Amino acid sequence: MSFNTFGHLFRFTTFGESHGPAIGCVVDGCPPRIPLTAADIQQELDRRRPGQSRFTTQRQEPDAVKILSGVFTDEATGKQVTTGTPIMLMIENVDQRSKDYSEIKDKYRPGHAGYTYDAKYGIHDYRGGGRASARETAARVAAGAIARKIVPGLNVRGALVQIGEHKVDRSKWDWSAVGGNPFFWPNSAQAKELETYLDGVRKSGSSIGAVIEVVAEGVPPGLGAPVYSKLDADIAAALMGINAVKGVEIGDGFATAAMRGEDNADEMRKPDAKTNEGRPVFLSNHSGGILGGISTGQPIVARFAVKPTSSILKPRKSVDKYGAETDVSTTGRHDPCVGIRAVPIGEAMLACVLADHYLRHRGQVGESAPWPQHRA
Amino acid sequence: MSFNTFGHLFRFTTFGESHGPAIGCVVDGCPPRIPLTAADIQQELDRRRPGQSRFTTQRQEPDAVKILSGVFTDEATGKQVTTGTPIMLMIENVDQRSKDYSEIKDKYRPGHAGYTYDAKYGIHDYRGGGRASARETAARVAAGAIARKIVPGLNVRGALVQIGEHKVDRSKWDWSAVGGNPFFWPNSAQAKELETYLDGVRKSGSSIGAVIEVVAEGVPPGLGAPVYSKLDADIAAALMGINAVKGVEIGDGFATAAMRGEDNADEMRKPDAKTNEGRPVFLSNHSGGILGGISTGQPIVARFAVKPTSSILKPRKSVDKYGAETDVSTTGRHDPCVGIRAVPIGEAMLACVLADHYLRHRGQVGESAPWPQHRA
Amino acid sequence: MSFNTFGHLFRFTTFGESHGPAIGCVVDGCPPRIPLTAADIQQELDRRRPGQSRFTTQRQEPDAVKILSGVFTDEATGKQVTTGTPIMLMIENVDQRSKDYSEIKDKYRPGHAGYTYDAKYGIHDYRGGGRASARETAARVAAGAIARKIVPGLNVRGALVQIGEHKVDRSKWDWSAVGGNPFFWPNSAQAKELETYLDGVRKSGSSIGAVIEVVAEGVPPGLGAPVYSKLDADIAAALMGINAVKGVEIGDGFATAAMRGEDNADEMRKPDAKTNEGRPVFLSNHSGGILGGISTGQPIVARFAVKPTSSILKPRKSVDKYGAETDVSTTGRHDPCVGIRAVPIGEAMLACVLADHYLRHRGQVGESAPWPQHRA
Amino acid sequence: MSFNTFGHLFRFTTFGESHGPAIGCVVDGCPPRIPLTAADIQQELDRRRPGQSRFTTQRQEPDAVKILSGVFTDEATGKQVTTGTPIMLMIENVDQRSKDYSEIKDKYRPGHAGYTYDAKYGIHDYRGGGRASARETAARVAAGAIARKIVPGLNVRGALVQIGEHKVDRSKWDWSAVGGNPFFWPNSAQAKELETYLDGVRKSGSSIGAVIEVVAEGVPPGLGAPVYSKLDADIAAALMGINAVKGVEIGDGFATAAMRGEDNADEMRKPDAKTNEGRPVFLSNHSGGILGGISTGQPIVARFAVKPTSSILKPRKSVDKYGAETDVSTTGRHDPCVGIRAVPIGEAMLACVLADHYLRHRGQVGESAPWPQHRA
């Protein structure tokens, strides 16, 4: 992970600004002979796409992805498959309204990256946030669609679990509800209430924060690497690196600070021959599927907090790039809760970390699981 | 950050197991001509050293560090300075009691890395946790002592802010109290209460979690790099990678989920010519000193949650390495709250991330701050 | 340098196949505020472009480059400059003739990467060499055009110095002749003879090898890094990684095997106050500008050998991808001496290595030269 | 490969100076459960060890290696095996004679790294070359001893093929002779002549260059990675990065510049069911076992040129670190032909590159060879 490249063996490098001609990424290190079409990627992009409800930005972007390299027809099957060479994914920008930004082009919006980009580089593309825009995350979702195909049996999904003071009722968690409401909320009844709540936030010209939970099932034990490539550390970086994220936790997370050792450690029982591939059975999953930086084989559970959108109608005190004081009010198109669309982005990042570690583990240790074979 | 190496330009690679002959690290990429003696490093190691109170493990390790390479006498000053080549730091282990572990050598302790190391590698050094032991963190503190010297004017410090249900009273925060109690607690009065509380935890054969806050002052604006090397993402990885950490947050962290945009974004006022080096003044620091992955020039504030020590006297259900069910009770020497000694470790990791990004920023952009010069 | 990414701080990632829709690269880590237009890059691409004489492939590719991200208008100057974010360079393929390859699609061409790509990946895009095609090098030349702008005062140029048995007459070396003949040959008189020679090779349906020399002037002393990032090691990798290269040497290269110590070591004389920026003067440059993996401040001189094009009209014995024996004769469009167009490619790779090391050195050591200042 | 770390998945980081207390390395990413004892490493170190004949430096270093971490007893076999965690190898220096260097401590020796280290860092450990000393290569040989165990069936060996004007007679090549003379020369008869020749060089206070050939057999096809991690590019960097090396070539190397396409490309014949694991048979090996940056399955053949030792008795013109002119004559203990001991070093570097690429290939593609299986 360095500059604009994510990952070690499964890697992707993104490019593009919010109001430039295109954004996209080059996915490198992908195993060969994996069936891959643009449609596979498009279905993930469509979940993140803006303009699908009144609760996200009204910018209309089809986010149509093209594969420019790295795939070829497998003669045996007639299917398009990966070749092991770089996969270039391009998404053209079509609905830039750069004039929306002309009024604030010299002003630093509080909570935005405009000031820090200027402090670092002495120049930045202010239009729509430029490189710091959440549009960049479309490239992550595209890369994530490929990552999902790499770990056999992997299933990564996510849901919004908090928005403002509203938290999910875990006793009524329903994965099948997530796709049926504009909030990725795992409970249809609660989602209705949220519509009213979010309308209030939106109409007041304000914004609100959120917490997202992402879960990966089908992760084999053994992924991760000591000591500075721990699986949880890499997940933390991947999620914290999403725009507007201010916190990340694994398993019981911050709640462990108030827990006793006997309540936190997950007890183990003997392998059930029929289930679990001969591996020990855990009686709980406080660890969120990771111990010592290495996957346990249980579901990996991570949460991340997204701050409220900084671009709001309410005027805020700021300075311009010459140091003069001014007020800023953002009239462009923005998400009242940028956390909503972060759900597929979080899933994508988790999938990418797992794909990378799956290949890294296979590199160091090979394909045969050391345990229980080597202990038998 | 890869395997056992941390960092990009300022890098260190650690080695060693809890009950092996030695642990240590090779620090690479350090700028030349920085005064450095073993005493500089020793003073940081002494803060992390075990056995200093009844609230940490009773293992007696002097943690005496030797510098085996990478320094030389500067003829002009007569001082020992870095040469720009690898600095090898070695700490010999002296108080191993491997027999403490013979009884549990085949058993997986719930909450420990024993099972996952076996699942990954098919073998692991079970004595004292082997490579997964918190002893490895001595090497981090040693590397951090060098990192602290790289960013001019940098001051990194930390404190325990929660232990069990006990949270720090922020209205009475006193940095000067931190060194005066066995908990790194920033309030002497509260620390007294904690002694009684921790004695209770300890005597019951249990353990408890904690939250640590680390703060870096003197960080210039502009450190960090889009998009997959964001400063907050790298801090998140660095802190989540510390043993037993389950959550990380920056600035207002998870609390932002319940905040409105107008309450979260930090407003800005014009530079004060006399202060702040001509940079804009922020009216608050909800962001924790980072926007868009790049430092703002305000203090960087991060917190991390440490789970309760898994090695406890209370017996827990588990399996052995052959899959048979068993009970585990750990009688070795352990910290009742492993979060306490995590304070200097967290400081060290934050210092290392900042040193690395300081050099990376200097590489890409050079030494002259782009702002406000380029905007003047 | 990993997979399809070159460099550490100055980095680029290339993508694309010979007969796909486009090739290109993402340049990352470029310093901000460097003036850059597509024309700057185009002039370098035009030097490498095929179809400019009968001595290179007749494929007609305009190699028109587009900059899709990473640049913005600097308000102060009105010029387009780099922003420090990824620079996406795209070159569309326009003259693919994939049917040229249908006859040999199942056959391994001796000397080609077809067999090894199949052995590695189990699939490959055979059309025009796919990813292994020399078309990929257009992306290198494009990245190199940016690299040339990073080290102040840097001048990188190259020439063909051997083709078949014909070697350049160094006593008549004329840099100004290089651009005036189709061979990048530094001597106009000799170039005439080469036309006849190459026509003979071409008409016989054969091909011939070559040696290229690249020279970098204006390289400050101190670039390079011990011990596994030596400047000469990185140059060796960069040049050996060009298609068809089989040898690399620095300075006196292989000739040093037959030299005595007193003839090889470059003697030094005191700095001339007016010239050489106060640095010692070398009396010779057998070292090719590098000692101990670090630049001396003298011109860096490297040579590399390019094997004869493997795609020839003469039939060769081979097998097809099912293991059956067959003969292969390549009728597609090919360079009779692929070494000719390697001149601008070699220059580009050398420039990229130097740009990367310039930024890395600035990162570790800063902008002020340690010597002679620290010795004064 | 970055700073003092070599490799990606199989990695090692070296430390130490010629006259410091110790040198060594941390080997990271090694697969688990590989039998490894100090004796395995010692036997390779003993081949490189100085002071074994009058033709190498008379410094007496036992080069006794200790393994400080990363190995553990495998209960099933009772053997000491790798655990997958960092393997720390330490070699203490015992025969430093730093006073040998006091006379020249302020002088730059022509051909040495003293000046460039000072130009880069403003300080350097001049004693015995400090970090730039060939003593560092003992750590490479130690790491290489582990690397040799990673690729199943790999056999890496080397020989001196040129010393001064003396070249090996390839028609009488005898691998079994290499260990029986002080020059690693593959022909006992010629070795006798070389003794007289080298004595002459040594007694005249001069030195001479050499060429080394290293050959790896048992390399499976498919190792290497496009486009900037080509196997030949990584070999080139690994060999060029050895002290005093000025040139590297693969297969026919520089000779290909004068070859025709039909003479250079290696023709292929159908797989022989009994031999070659069902892979095509090559009729020659001009390519040196690598096509398109990927191994063919044939032996990998590389050569590198080592310049004459710069430390000679004959006085040479130079300057001191204050810029004053002076003469330098080196009276310390030195190799008259530093190329001799480069044989085991070159072997070690080749083994390390192959181990790294073996793991990287297994990571991306897995363990089953794509060809011929996927073509069957």
Side-chain angles (χ1 to χ4, degrees):
Chain A
M1 198 144 87
S2 194
F3 290 110
N4 294 276
T5 297
F6 181 90
H8 294 83
L9 289 195
F10 178 81
R11 306 154 61 89
F12 63 91
T13 302
T14 70
F15 67 89
E17 282 90 26
S18 179
H19 288 225
I23 58 170
C25 63
V26 182
V27 176
D28 201 1
C30 185
R33 302 189 313 278
I34 294 180
L36 179 71
T37 65
D40 296 333
I41 298 166
Q42 196 64 51
Q43 71 177 20
E44 291 299 325
L45 282 171
D46 288 349
R47 295 177 62 223
R48 192 213 72 104
R49 193 155 57 80
Q52 301 192 89
S53 83
R54 68 183 180 276
F55 306 109
T56 60
T57 175
Q58 293 308 297
R59 180 167 171 174
Q60 293 297 332
E61 287 287 351
D63 280 353
V65 69
K66 287 180 199 162
I67 303 178
L68 296 190
S69 67
V71 295
F72 202 61
T73 305
D74 180 6
E75 292 202 346
T77 64
K79 281 187 184 173
Q80 183 173 269
V81 300
T82 60
T83 60
T85 60
I87 304 166
M88 165 64 177
L89 304 175
M90 190 155 83
I91 300 165
E92 287 173 62
N93 291 325
V94 302
D95 188 28
Q96 306 98 316
R97 284 195 210 155
S98 300
K99 66 178 159 53
D100 282 3
Y101 294 88
S102 57
E103 206 263 324
I104 58 164
K105 79 182 176 67
D106 292 345
K107 298 178 180 179
Y108 296 128
R109 285 177 283 165
H112 264 273
Y115 170 66
T116 52
Y117 268 65
D118 249 16
K120 182 175 190 72
Y121 297 122
I123 187 168
H124 86 286
D125 180 348
Y126 59 83
R127 301 166 306 162
R131 181 67 183 151
S133 167
R135 261 201 84 55
E136 187 272 344
T137 60
R140 303 176 186 224
V141 172
I146 299 175
R148 286 171 189 268
K149 293 165 163 269
I150 289 174
V151 186
L154 179 69
N155 182 27
V156 179
R157 50 190 176 173
L160 208 67
V161 296
Q162 182 181 346
I163 184 165
E165 299 287 356
H166 298 260
K167 296 185 183 183
V168 74
D169 179 348
R170 286 183 179 268
S171 69
K172 297 181 180 164
W173 187 290
D174 175 13
W175 276 116
S176 69
V178 169
N181 65 72
F183 311 110
F184 298 97
W185 196 266
N187 179 320
S188 304
Q190 275 185 300
K192 274 289 161 201
E193 299 165 37
L194 290 179
E195 289 204 19
T196 313
Y197 173 69
L198 253 288
D199 274 332
V201 170
R202 187 170 56 87
K203 287 173 183 166
S204 69
S206 183
S207 63
I208 193 75
V211 176
I212 293 92
E213 182 165 310
V214 285
V215 178
E217 291 159 306
V219 179
L223 303 197
V227 175
Y228 302 109
S229 295
K230 285 178 172 165
L231 187 59
D232 38 5
D234 281 358
I235 291 171
L239 298 179
M240 189 69 92
I242 296 173
N243 309 41
V245 173
K246 301 303 285 186
V248 178
E249 55 183 14
I250 308 285
D252 286 357
F254 275 90
T256 60
M259 289 174 83
R260 295 284 181 134
E262 60 271 29
D263 299 323
N264 181 257
D266 302 307
E267 295 185 301
M268 301 167 82
R269 296 286 76 186
K270 71 177 175 188
D272 179 337
K274 283 181 240 160
T275 62
N276 213 25
E277 300 175 23
R279 303 192 309 248
V281 173
F282 287 91
L283 299 179
S284 55
N285 189 17
H286 296 289
S287 76
I290 302 173
L291 286 174
I294 298 172
S295 63
T296 63
Q298 287 204 287
I300 288 178
V301 181
R303 276 175 303 283
F304 58 101
V306 178
K307 72 178 185 181
T309 317
S310 302
S311 297
I312 52 176
L313 277 169
K314 300 197 176 184
R316 307 300 296 153
K317 294 176 191 167
S318 190
V319 295
D320 67 19
K321 70 186 187 186
Y322 306 103
E325 300 194 342
T326 182
D327 275 10
V328 178
S329 168
T330 312
T331 54
R333 301 161 298 178
H334 296 284
D335 295 273
C337 174
V338 74
I340 296 172
R341 293 200 292 137
V343 174
I345 302 165
E347 295 174 12
M349 294 309 287
L350 181 54
C352 289
V353 172
L354 292 168
D356 190 27
H357 273 283
Y358 177 79
L359 300 183
R360 292 165 76 182
H361 175 74
R362 186 163 74 179
Q364 187 184 10
V365 180
E367 288 180 346
S368 65
W371 204 97
Q373 286 86 331
H374 283 272
R375 291 303 191 201
Chain B
M1 198 145 87
S2 194
F3 291 110
N4 294 276
T5 297
F6 180 90
H8 294 82
L9 288 195
F10 177 82
R11 308 154 59 88
F12 63 91
T13 302
T14 69
F15 67 89
E17 282 89 27
S18 179
H19 288 226
I23 58 169
C25 62
V26 181
V27 177
D28 201 1
C30 184
R33 302 191 312 280
I34 294 179
L36 180 70
T37 65
D40 297 333
I41 298 166
Q42 196 63 53
Q43 70 177 19
E44 291 300 325
L45 282 171
D46 288 348
R47 296 176 62 224
R48 192 212 72 102
R49 194 155 55 81
Q52 303 191 87
S53 82
R54 68 183 181 278
F55 306 108
T56 60
T57 174
Q58 294 306 299
R59 179 168 171 173
Q60 293 295 333
E61 286 289 350
D63 280 353
V65 69
K66 287 180 199 164
I67 304 179
L68 296 190
S69 67
V71 294
F72 201 62
T73 305
D74 181 6
E75 292 203 344
T77 63
K79 282 188 182 171
Q80 182 171 272
V81 299
T82 59
T83 60
T85 59
I87 304 167
M88 165 64 177
L89 303 176
M90 190 155 83
I91 299 166
E92 287 173 63
N93 290 325
V94 302
D95 188 28
Q96 306 98 314
R97 284 196 210 156
S98 301
K99 66 178 159 50
D100 282 2
Y101 295 89
S102 56
E103 206 262 324
I104 59 165
K105 80 182 176 65
D106 291 345
K107 298 178 180 179
Y108 296 128
R109 284 176 284 165
H112 264 273
Y115 170 65
T116 52
Y117 268 66
D118 248 15
K120 182 175 190 71
Y121 297 122
I123 188 169
H124 86 287
D125 180 349
Y126 59 84
R127 303 167 305 162
R131 181 66 184 152
S133 166
R135 262 202 80 59
E136 187 272 344
T137 60
R140 303 177 186 223
V141 172
I146 299 177
R148 287 171 188 268
K149 294 166 162 268
I150 289 174
V151 186
L154 178 70
N155 183 27
V156 179
R157 49 191 178 172
L160 209 68
V161 296
Q162 183 181 345
I163 183 164
E165 298 287 355
H166 298 259
K167 296 186 182 183
V168 74
D169 179 349
R170 287 183 178 268
S171 69
K172 297 182 180 163
W173 188 290
D174 175 14
W175 277 115
S176 69
V178 169
N181 64 72
F183 310 110
F184 298 97
W185 195 267
N187 178 320
S188 304
Q190 276 186 299
K192 275 287 160 204
E193 300 165 34
L194 291 179
E195 289 203 20
T196 312
Y197 174 69
L198 254 288
D199 273 332
V201 171
R202 188 168 57 87
K203 287 172 184 166
S204 70
S206 182
S207 62
I208 193 74
V211 175
I212 292 92
E213 181 166 311
V214 284
V215 178
E217 291 159 305
V219 179
L223 303 197
V227 174
Y228 302 109
S229 296
K230 285 179 172 166
L231 187 58
D232 38 5
D234 281 358
I235 291 170
L239 298 179
M240 190 70 92
I242 297 172
N243 308 41
V245 173
K246 300 304 285 186
V248 178
E249 56 183 14
I250 308 284
D252 285 357
F254 276 89
T256 60
M259 289 174 83
R260 295 283 180 134
E262 60 271 27
D263 299 323
N264 181 256
D266 302 307
E267 294 185 301
M268 301 167 81
R269 295 287 77 187
K270 71 177 176 187
D272 180 336
K274 282 182 241 157
T275 61
N276 215 24
E277 301 176 21
R279 303 192 309 248
V281 173
F282 286 91
L283 299 180
S284 55
N285 189 19
H286 297 289
S287 75
I290 302 173
L291 286 174
I294 299 172
S295 62
T296 64
Q298 288 203 285
I300 288 177
V301 181
R303 276 176 302 284
F304 57 101
V306 178
K307 71 177 185 181
T309 316
S310 302
S311 297
I312 52 176
L313 277 170
K314 301 197 175 185
R316 309 298 297 153
K317 295 176 191 165
S318 191
V319 295
D320 66 19
K321 69 186 187 186
Y322 305 103
E325 300 195 341
T326 182
D327 274 9
V328 178
S329 169
T330 311
T331 52
R333 301 161 298 176
H334 295 285
D335 295 273
C337 175
V338 74
I340 296 172
R341 293 201 291 139
V343 174
I345 302 165
E347 294 174 12
M349 294 309 287
L350 181 55
C352 288
V353 171
L354 292 169
D356 189 28
H357 272 285
Y358 177 78
L359 300 183
R360 292 165 76 183
H361 175 74
R362 186 163 74 178
Q364 187 183 11
V365 179
E367 288 180 346
S368 64
W371 203 96
Q373 287 86 331
H374 282 274
R375 290 306 192 197
Chain C
M1 198 145 86
S2 194
F3 290 109
N4 294 276
T5 297
F6 180 91
H8 293 83
L9 289 195
F10 178 82
R11 308 153 61 88
F12 63 90
T13 303
T14 69
F15 67 90
E17 282 89 27
S18 180
H19 288 226
I23 58 169
C25 62
V26 181
V27 176
D28 202 1
C30 184
R33 300 190 314 279
I34 293 179
L36 180 70
T37 65
D40 296 334
I41 299 166
Q42 196 63 53
Q43 70 177 19
E44 291 299 326
L45 282 171
D46 287 348
R47 296 177 62 223
R48 192 213 72 103
R49 193 155 57 81
Q52 303 191 89
S53 82
R54 68 184 179 278
F55 305 108
T56 60
T57 173
Q58 293 307 299
R59 180 168 170 173
Q60 293 296 331
E61 286 289 350
D63 280 353
V65 68
K66 288 180 198 164
I67 303 179
L68 295 190
S69 67
V71 294
F72 202 61
T73 305
D74 181 5
E75 292 203 345
T77 63
K79 281 188 184 172
Q80 183 173 271
V81 300
T82 59
T83 61
T85 60
I87 304 167
M88 164 63 176
L89 303 176
M90 190 155 83
I91 299 165
E92 287 173 61
N93 290 326
V94 302
D95 188 28
Q96 307 97 314
R97 283 196 211 156
S98 301
K99 66 179 158 53
D100 282 2
Y101 295 89
S102 56
E103 207 262 323
I104 58 164
K105 80 181 176 68
D106 292 345
K107 299 178 180 178
Y108 296 129
R109 286 176 283 164
H112 264 272
Y115 170 65
T116 53
Y117 268 66
D118 249 17
K120 182 176 190 71
Y121 297 123
I123 187 168
H124 86 286
D125 180 349
Y126 60 84
R127 302 166 306 162
R131 181 65 184 153
S133 166
R135 261 203 81 56
E136 187 272 344
T137 60
R140 303 176 185 224
V141 171
I146 299 176
R148 287 170 188 268
K149 293 166 163 268
I150 288 174
V151 186
L154 178 69
N155 183 27
V156 179
R157 49 191 177 173
L160 209 67
V161 296
Q162 182 181 346
I163 185 164
E165 300 287 356
H166 299 259
K167 296 186 182 183
V168 73
D169 179 349
R170 287 182 179 269
S171 69
K172 296 181 180 164
W173 187 290
D174 174 14
W175 277 115
S176 70
V178 169
N181 65 72
F183 310 110
F184 298 97
W185 196 266
N187 178 319
S188 303
Q190 276 186 298
K192 274 288 160 204
E193 299 164 36
L194 290 178
E195 289 204 20
T196 312
Y197 174 69
L198 254 288
D199 273 332
V201 171
R202 187 169 56 87
K203 286 172 184 166
S204 70
S206 182
S207 62
I208 193 74
V211 175
I212 293 91
E213 181 166 312
V214 285
V215 178
E217 291 159 305
V219 179
L223 303 197
V227 173
Y228 302 109
S229 295
K230 285 178 173 167
L231 187 58
D232 37 6
D234 282 358
I235 291 171
L239 298 179
M240 189 70 91
I242 298 172
N243 309 41
V245 173
K246 301 303 285 185
V248 178
E249 55 183 13
I250 308 284
D252 286 356
F254 275 89
T256 61
M259 289 174 82
R260 295 283 180 133
E262 61 270 29
D263 298 323
N264 181 257
D266 302 307
E267 295 185 302
M268 301 167 80
R269 296 285 77 186
K270 72 177 176 188
D272 179 336
K274 283 183 239 158
T275 61
N276 213 24
E277 301 176 21
R279 303 191 310 247
V281 173
F282 287 91
L283 299 180
S284 56
N285 189 18
H286 297 289
S287 75
I290 302 174
L291 286 174
I294 299 173
S295 63
T296 63
Q298 287 203 286
I300 289 177
V301 181
R303 275 176 303 282
F304 58 102
V306 178
K307 71 178 184 181
T309 316
S310 303
S311 297
I312 51 176
L313 276 169
K314 298 196 178 186
R316 309 297 296 152
K317 293 178 192 165
S318 189
V319 295
D320 67 19
K321 69 185 187 187
Y322 306 102
E325 299 195 343
T326 182
D327 274 11
V328 179
S329 168
T330 311
T331 53
R333 301 161 298 177
H334 296 284
D335 295 273
C337 174
V338 75
I340 296 172
R341 293 200 291 139
V343 174
I345 302 165
E347 294 174 12
M349 294 310 287
L350 180 55
C352 288
V353 172
L354 292 168
D356 189 27
H357 272 284
Y358 177 79
L359 300 183
R360 292 166 76 183
H361 176 74
R362 185 163 75 179
Q364 187 184 10
V365 179
E367 288 180 346
S368 64
W371 203 96
Q373 287 87 330
H374 282 273
R375 290 304 192 199
Chain D
M1 198 145 87
S2 194
F3 290 110
N4 293 277
T5 297
F6 180 90
H8 294 82
L9 290 195
F10 177 82
R11 308 154 61 88
F12 63 90
T13 303
T14 69
F15 68 89
E17 282 89 27
S18 179
H19 288 226
I23 59 169
C25 63
V26 182
V27 176
D28 201 1
C30 184
R33 302 190 313 279
I34 294 180
L36 180 69
T37 64
D40 296 333
I41 299 166
Q42 195 64 52
Q43 70 177 19
E44 290 299 325
L45 282 171
D46 287 348
R47 296 177 62 223
R48 192 213 72 102
R49 194 154 57 79
Q52 303 191 87
S53 82
R54 66 184 182 278
F55 306 109
T56 61
T57 174
Q58 293 307 300
R59 179 168 171 172
Q60 292 297 332
E61 287 287 350
D63 280 352
V65 68
K66 288 180 198 164
I67 303 179
L68 296 190
S69 67
V71 293
F72 202 61
T73 305
D74 180 6
E75 292 202 345
T77 63
K79 281 188 183 173
Q80 183 172 271
V81 299
T82 59
T83 61
T85 60
I87 304 167
M88 165 64 177
L89 304 176
M90 191 156 82
I91 300 165
E92 287 173 63
N93 291 325
V94 301
D95 187 29
Q96 306 98 314
R97 285 197 209 153
S98 301
K99 66 179 158 51
D100 283 2
Y101 295 88
S102 56
E103 206 261 324
I104 58 164
K105 80 182 177 65
D106 292 344
K107 298 177 180 179
Y108 296 129
R109 284 177 285 164
H112 264 272
Y115 170 65
T116 53
Y117 268 66
D118 248 16
K120 183 175 189 71
Y121 297 123
I123 188 169
H124 86 287
D125 180 348
Y126 59 85
R127 302 167 305 162
R131 180 66 183 152
S133 166
R135 261 202 81 57
E136 187 272 344
T137 60
R140 304 176 186 224
V141 171
I146 299 176
R148 285 170 189 268
K149 294 166 163 268
I150 289 173
V151 186
L154 178 70
N155 182 28
V156 179
R157 49 190 177 173
L160 208 67
V161 295
Q162 183 182 344
I163 184 163
E165 299 287 355
H166 298 259
K167 297 186 183 184
V168 73
D169 179 347
R170 286 183 178 269
S171 69
K172 297 182 180 164
W173 187 291
D174 175 12
W175 277 115
S176 70
V178 169
N181 65 71
F183 310 111
F184 299 95
W185 196 267
N187 178 320
S188 304
Q190 276 186 298
K192 275 288 160 204
E193 298 165 35
L194 290 178
E195 290 204 19
T196 313
Y197 174 69
L198 254 288
D199 273 331
V201 170
R202 188 169 56 87
K203 288 173 182 166
S204 70
S206 182
S207 62
I208 193 74
V211 175
I212 292 91
E213 181 165 311
V214 285
V215 178
E217 290 158 307
V219 179
L223 303 197
V227 175
Y228 302 110
S229 296
K230 285 178 174 165
L231 186 58
D232 38 5
D234 282 358
I235 292 171
L239 297 179
M240 189 69 92
I242 298 172
N243 308 42
V245 173
K246 301 303 286 185
V248 178
E249 57 183 13
I250 308 285
D252 285 357
F254 276 89
T256 60
M259 289 174 84
R260 295 283 179 134
E262 60 271 28
D263 299 323
N264 180 256
D266 302 307
E267 293 185 303
M268 301 167 80
R269 295 287 77 186
K270 71 176 175 187
D272 179 336
K274 283 183 239 158
T275 62
N276 214 24
E277 301 176 21
R279 303 190 310 246
V281 173
F282 287 91
L283 299 180
S284 55
N285 190 18
H286 297 289
S287 75
I290 303 174
L291 286 174
I294 299 173
S295 62
T296 63
Q298 287 203 286
I300 289 178
V301 181
R303 275 176 303 282
F304 58 101
V306 178
K307 70 178 185 181
T309 316
S310 302
S311 297
I312 52 176
L313 277 169
K314 299 197 177 184
R316 308 299 296 151
K317 294 178 191 166
S318 190
V319 295
D320 67 19
K321 69 185 188 187
Y322 305 103
E325 300 194 342
T326 182
D327 274 10
V328 178
S329 169
T330 310
T331 53
R333 301 161 298 179
H334 295 283
D335 295 272
C337 174
V338 74
I340 296 172
R341 292 201 292 139
V343 174
I345 303 166
E347 294 174 12
M349 295 308 287
L350 181 55
C352 288
V353 171
L354 291 168
D356 189 28
H357 272 284
Y358 177 79
L359 300 183
R360 292 165 76 183
H361 176 75
R362 185 163 74 178
Q364 188 184 11
V365 179
E367 287 180 346
S368 63
W371 204 97
Q373 287 86 332
H374 283 273
R375 292 303 191 200

